[in-house]
Amino acid sequence: MAITTTAPYKSGTLSSIGTGANGLNTRLNTSGVSWAAGDVGRHVYFYSGNAQWESREIIAQGTNYCDILFPFGEYPVLKPDGTEVPSDIPTTGNNLGVSYQLDDLDDGSTLIKESVNFYRHTTSNAWTIGQNVMIQDINKTLEFNSEWTDLDGIMQFGNLDSDGFVIDSCCLMDNSTGFGGFSQTGNNVSTADDFGSFRLFGGAFLITGTTQFLRMYRNSGSSEAIQVQAVNFNGAAGGRVDGTKSYFLNPIYSNLNSSIGPINPKSNVAMIKGIRVNSGAQVVYHFWSLSQSTTVPGVRFNPNGITDRFARLSSNGTGYTLTLEDILVNDIQTLQDNGITIFDQQTALSGSNTVKITNPLTVTTQNNASGMRLRIKNTNGVEVFDGNSDGNGDWAKTSYEWGRVTISALTTYDLDDAVIVAPYVCNTRKYDKITQSFSFDARAPLSTVISDVDDSSITETTKATVLAYGTLETLDKFRDRHKAEHVDNDDIEDISAGGGAVDLTTSTNTETSYTGYALIIDSIAGAWSHSSGTITIGASTLTSGSNYTNLIPFSTLTFANGATASCNVILNNTVVATTANQGVLTGNVNINNGGRLDLVDLTTNQLIGTGASGGRIKINGASTSTIVDLRAYTINSGFEIQNNSGIAVTVRLLPTQAIPTLVETSGTLTVDNSVSLIFTGLQPNSEVRAYVGTNPATAIEIGGVENSGTSFNFEHTEFGNDGFIVIHSLAYITQRINITYANENQSIPIQQQLDRQFENP
């Protein structure tokens, strides 16, 4: 026997579409249909007009109308781009029908109701579903034992609710040994390419044979739809699928032993998303046959459960890109490590195609800060995103490419053939927030929350004020302007600022391998400019601010057009202080281990600060002076002075100071650690003699003058030794002053007394 169903369960025409009880365009006013309470729960569908092959669940009825769950022209399932799966609106006069349920077709021989919810299509008995017919049921189990199934109309099991979620799912079993449904060469009932619409929402589909029921095939351009959502397939569950309203959403496969599965897309597919393969021969198949570029998001698989290949790419169309979005690259790598082929091109190509692997990045701010600037660069330094967070502190989720494989020959390919553009360096910037940086390797989806922490390192809170500065004469202004420029310019990284120091040697973000910024202080320049790692600021004198007193420069510190710096300078690496004028460094200059001050023009001013072990002063020029005065400098053991000037240079030290290590690369270095003894209040033309030793008979003269002025001084190195001073002057009594020579400069005021016995003949 056979079941041949060619006429709808009920039929009529559409008179108009009106407002249903839910306030939407969900009331179908009809003619020719005798609506009854038993129609509620069935589907109304169209078999002519724009909406042919579409249906909706009936939720209420009246004498000449039925209300449906959601309107035609709308569909609650979204494609990866956020748009709905296509749906058309029927027009007046279109033919409509009401669906059969399995109970209506139970004939006791071809389709048998075995129990309340279990039906069986028996062996070798044909079942024809006509083009104008829809069969739909819920919460049932249907067993196919025959390949004699000719589906020309619509078959649907399970439902979608108004939000697009599956409900009332069914279970199907295919125990046949031949192609069920329809094969491209016809089935056992008909040889026409007339496969209709098949929809399966939720539930399970078990295929026990070696061929698949869902081997669907139609002429391209037909409007029928194959819609599969959240179905658990087990066995040879491959199937051809095409149609602009067709989609496979979140199907799950186990024991996938079909050579053309899990899905064989032909053309114009609305979407294929969320494929899950627990076990079987392969994961992805035949996407070139779409003859277009396509994106397949959310593929997941058990890397230890795949036995043959990841993807078979067998069609010969060229110029297309298959984008595998939201996929775990590590799982593909595991497949490759297991010796499984990744991409298998089985048909010769006249050109080439591309498989691109991407993964989504979702970024949001912790405290919903808006206006934070997110900048993302790939491994080649190319910026691929630049945008601000919205009012909720979020950025739109976007996918980024991990890498791509060019398919151009009849061979196999794997991840080693990929051109990789990941990882991505990402950072969020806002003037009053701390810059945050992170890396995205694009090997898996990433959802990250960025801390939007207030930046306490800035002094002026208004960015516009900072950008309007005409000069940057304090370290506070310099730090603020640098932060503002960092926010606005992708090639300026933020610097470390805190603990009273503006540090050009280190960065607070990790966008690139930070190398620091050279600094030029120019008395006639504008407030700010930047070029090739050098910052120029306008300031006659760079002074300390209220928050920052120390400058830690990097590479080069240059003074131009008479500019000076009175703030403290800390050197942690080589810094060349270049200038044509004297007195440029009037603040403390602390040279730490690894730091080096390269002087190209010596001044007579004393250098103030501390030299640590491993630090160095390198003298590259001495045009205005040949003296380096370090008498106010604290020198630690291991600190070095290097002469590279080509001329003799004297290093002035105090007697108590440690003598630095002298490195004479070009030119000699002489240490002068003498101190001065100063006499003031002298009578002009006085004779002054200074001796070491307390016994006049053995004392040694170390300094003196025959005819002084009103003052006299000399330098010595006799610190700590006892001695005496003798002062002679005509008409004045000779004075002897006992002294212990100090290790620092001494000043002795002299008061000479008239000699009343003196008579000048």
Side-chain angles (χ1 to χ4, degrees):
M1 296 181 64
I3 299 176
T4 301
T5 310
T6 57
Y9 175 73
K10 289 182 179 181
S11 64
T13 58
L14 179 66
S15 300
S16 64
I17 298 177
T19 303
N22 58 8
L24 304 175
N25 292 328
T26 52
R27 176 156 296 178
L28 304 184
N29 299 305
T30 63
S31 62
V33 183
S34 299
W35 296 104
D39 297 331
V40 174
R42 296 177 185 263
H43 274 233
V44 60
Y45 62 95
F46 286 86
Y47 55 93
S48 71
N50 290 335
Q52 186 177 5
W53 306 99
E54 293 197 46
S55 71
R56 297 291 187 269
E57 182 183 355
I58 300 168
I59 60 173
Q61 51 80 219
T63 303
N64 296 309
Y65 71 86
C66 71
D67 283 356
I68 56 178
L69 184 62
F70 52 88
F72 285 94
E74 300 177 14
Y75 203 78
V77 177
L78 300 181
K79 297 190 293 183
D81 62 4
T83 62
E84 294 179 349
V85 169
S87 174
D88 290 310
I89 301 174
T91 58
T92 300
N94 288 165
N95 294 323
L96 60 83
V98 177
S99 65
Y100 288 94
Q101 295 177 337
L102 293 179
D103 258 351
D104 304 321
L105 302 173
D106 174 17
D107 66 353
S109 59
T110 301
L111 183 65
I112 301 175
K113 182 177 182 179
E114 300 285 3
S115 62
V116 174
N117 294 316
F118 178 43
Y119 295 79
R120 179 167 55 88
H121 177 203
T122 57
T123 304
S124 301
N125 288 319
W127 184 4
T128 298
I129 297 99
Q131 188 173 7
N132 299 336
V133 172
M134 178 178 185
I135 298 172
Q136 186 274 337
D137 219 326
I138 60 174
N139 302 318
K140 299 294 191 300
T141 297
L142 174 61
E143 179 181 301
F144 292 95
N145 292 290
S146 171
E147 63 270 22
W148 291 69
T149 305
D150 184 11
L151 176 59
D152 303 331
I154 306 171
M155 182 177 281
Q156 175 177 321
F157 297 101
N159 269 333
L160 291 180
D161 66 15
S162 57
D163 294 318
F165 296 105
V166 297
I167 55 174
D168 301 325
S169 301
C170 294
C171 291
L172 304 183
M173 291 184 290
D174 179 12
N175 297 324
S176 65
T177 57
F179 290 119
F182 190 80
S183 75
Q184 66 187 85
T185 57
N187 58 35
N188 292 315
V189 180
S190 170
T191 59
D193 291 346
D194 56 357
F195 193 95
S197 288
F198 184 86
R199 305 170 192 158
L200 187 57
F201 300 120
F205 198 154
L206 172 64
I207 300 92
T208 61
T210 57
T211 54
Q212 65 275 25
F213 174 84
L214 286 176
R215 192 175 188 188
M216 307 165 188
Y217 190 84
R218 293 188 308 272
N219 291 323
S220 296
S222 57
S223 59
E224 299 91 326
I226 294 92
Q227 296 177 336
V228 173
Q229 184 169 337
V231 178
N232 284 277
F233 291 98
N234 194 324
R240 287 185 171 90
V241 56
D242 68 351
T244 57
K245 300 175 184 179
S246 297
Y247 69 87
F248 271 58
L249 176 60
N250 300 331
I252 303 172
Y253 297 90
S254 299
N255 302 310
L256 185 60
N257 58 358
S258 169
S259 62
I260 60 170
I263 300 166
N264 180 0
K266 297 301 295 182
S267 63
N268 302 317
V269 179
M271 72 166 167
I272 297 173
K273 178 181 178 181
I275 298 173
R276 304 290 196 273
V277 180
N278 293 325
S279 59
Q282 61 195 2
V283 180
V284 176
Y285 180 76
H286 209 49
F287 276 93
W288 300 153
S289 62
L290 281 170
S291 298
Q292 63 186 23
S293 294
T294 189
T295 297
V296 180
V299 174
R300 294 289 186 274
F301 59 94
N302 173 13
N304 296 311
I306 306 303
T307 59
D308 191 1
R309 68 185 69 86
F310 172 74
R312 171 166 285 173
L313 308 169
S314 60
S315 181
N316 57 4
T318 59
Y320 312 127
T321 298
L322 167 62
T323 300
L324 298 173
E325 180 183 274
D326 186 2
I327 187 169
L328 306 180
V329 178
N330 288 349
D331 283 352
I332 302 178
Q333 184 66 57
T334 299
L335 270 186
Q336 181 171 313
D337 295 342
N338 290 344
I340 301 298
T341 297
I342 304 304
F343 302 113
D344 177 13
Q345 177 64 36
Q346 287 201 323
T347 307
L349 297 172
S350 59
S352 64
N353 293 314
T354 301
V355 178
K356 184 168 66 172
I357 297 174
T358 69
N359 268 300
L361 173 65
T362 303
V363 186
T364 187
T365 57
Q366 185 177 20
N367 298 304
N368 310 112
S370 62
M372 289 194 72
R373 188 173 190 177
L374 174 63
R375 310 190 81 143
I376 301 176
K377 293 181 180 180
N378 65 19
T379 192
N380 299 317
V382 177
E383 188 167 78
V384 297
F385 182 83
D386 180 6
N388 292 337
S389 57
D390 61 20
N392 296 318
D394 301 328
W395 291 268
K397 181 172 71 172
T398 306
S399 285
Y400 296 94
E401 182 178 349
W402 170 80
R404 61 179 62 199
V405 178
T406 300
I407 310 294
S408 60
L410 189 63
T411 185
T412 60
Y413 300 82
D414 58 27
L415 294 183
D416 295 334
D417 298 306
V419 176
I420 302 171
V421 296
Y424 295 84
V425 177
C426 316
N427 65 81
T428 56
R429 309 179 182 192
K430 192 176 183 183
Y431 176 68
D432 60 349
K433 303 294 182 183
I434 294 176
T435 293
Q436 304 289 332
S437 297
F438 63 97
S439 179
F440 177 46
D441 64 12
R443 296 180 66 91
L446 176 65
S447 181
T448 186
V449 177
I450 295 297
S451 298
D452 42 12
V453 180
D454 291 342
D455 189 351
S456 60
S457 73
I458 60 173
T459 304
E460 170 56 53
T461 58
T462 304
K463 179 184 172 187
T465 300
V466 173
L467 291 175
Y469 285 152
T471 60
L472 303 178
E473 66 275 7
T474 69
L475 286 175
D476 292 352
K477 288 187 174 183
F478 175 39
R479 190 285 172 275
D480 289 351
R481 184 58 174 266
H482 193 286
K483 178 62 183 292
E485 296 288 344
H486 161 70
V487 172
D488 289 349
N489 299 280
D490 71 305
D491 61 340
I492 298 178
E493 296 185 57
D494 201 10
I495 55 175
S496 297
V502 176
D503 186 356
L504 295 177
T505 68
T506 58
S507 174
T508 58
N509 66 313
T510 56
E511 182 178 350
T512 59
S513 178
Y514 184 76
T515 56
Y517 290 106
L519 179 62
I520 299 174
I521 305 172
D522 191 334
S523 65
I524 63 173
W528 173 280
S529 65
H530 170 260
S531 177
S532 302
T534 297
I535 296 170
T536 301
I537 63 172
S540 296
T541 300
L542 181 61
T543 67
S544 299
S546 59
N547 291 322
Y548 298 101
T549 58
N550 302 316
L551 172 67
I552 306 177
F554 174 83
S555 176
T556 307
L557 176 62
T558 303
F559 298 88
N561 298 304
T564 64
S566 62
C567 58
N568 298 332
V569 177
I570 300 173
L571 304 184
N572 294 322
N573 50 30
T574 300
V575 172
V576 180
T578 61
T579 182
N581 64 296
Q582 298 182 5
V584 294
L585 291 172
T586 58
N588 287 345
V589 180
N590 298 324
I591 306 175
N592 296 328
N593 186 4
R596 193 179 84 197
L597 175 63
D598 285 20
L599 300 175
V600 298
D601 190 9
L602 299 182
T603 74
T604 55
N605 286 18
Q606 288 185 333
L607 200 63
I608 306 170
T610 301
S613 176
R616 174 180 289 197
I617 293 175
K618 182 180 180 182
I619 304 162
N620 286 320
S623 60
T624 61
S625 174
T626 59
I627 296 175
V628 177
D629 191 346
L630 300 180
R631 288 177 295 178
Y633 209 67
T634 301
I635 297 176
N636 291 293
S637 176
F639 186 74
E640 299 176 347
I641 305 291
Q642 179 183 4
N643 188 1
N644 194 47
S645 68
I647 62 175
V649 172
T650 298
V651 181
R652 295 296 307 273
L653 299 173
L654 291 174
T656 54
Q657 288 176 285
I659 296 177
T661 300
L662 304 180
V663 180
E664 298 176 333
T665 305
S666 178
T668 60
L669 285 169
T670 302
V671 174
D672 179 1
N673 58 358
S674 61
V675 295
S676 294
L677 182 59
I678 305 167
F679 302 92
T680 60
L682 292 170
Q683 294 298 319
N685 299 314
S686 293
E687 179 183 356
V688 181
R689 301 296 173 187
Y691 299 90
V692 173
T694 57
N695 184 350
T698 58
I700 300 172
E701 183 180 343
I702 60 172
V705 64
E706 185 73 24
N707 293 296
S708 73
T710 58
S711 65
F712 166 69
N713 69 85
F714 70 96
E715 294 181 345
H716 67 89
T717 59
E718 298 298 331
F719 25 87
N721 293 325
D722 293 330
F724 57 91
I725 310 296
V726 177
I727 301 174
H728 302 283
S729 180
L730 291 175
Y732 290 88
I733 298 174
T734 296
Q735 291 188 17
R736 171 175 168 158
I737 303 171
N738 293 325
I739 186 173
T740 298
Y741 292 101
N743 58 8
E744 58 186 0
N745 293 337
Q746 291 175 284
S747 181
I748 301 176
I750 301 299
Q751 292 183 342
Q752 294 167 276
Q753 297 179 3
L754 287 171
D755 186 352
R756 299 181 182 274
Q757 306 300 319
F758 174 76
E759 183 176 326
N760 189 2

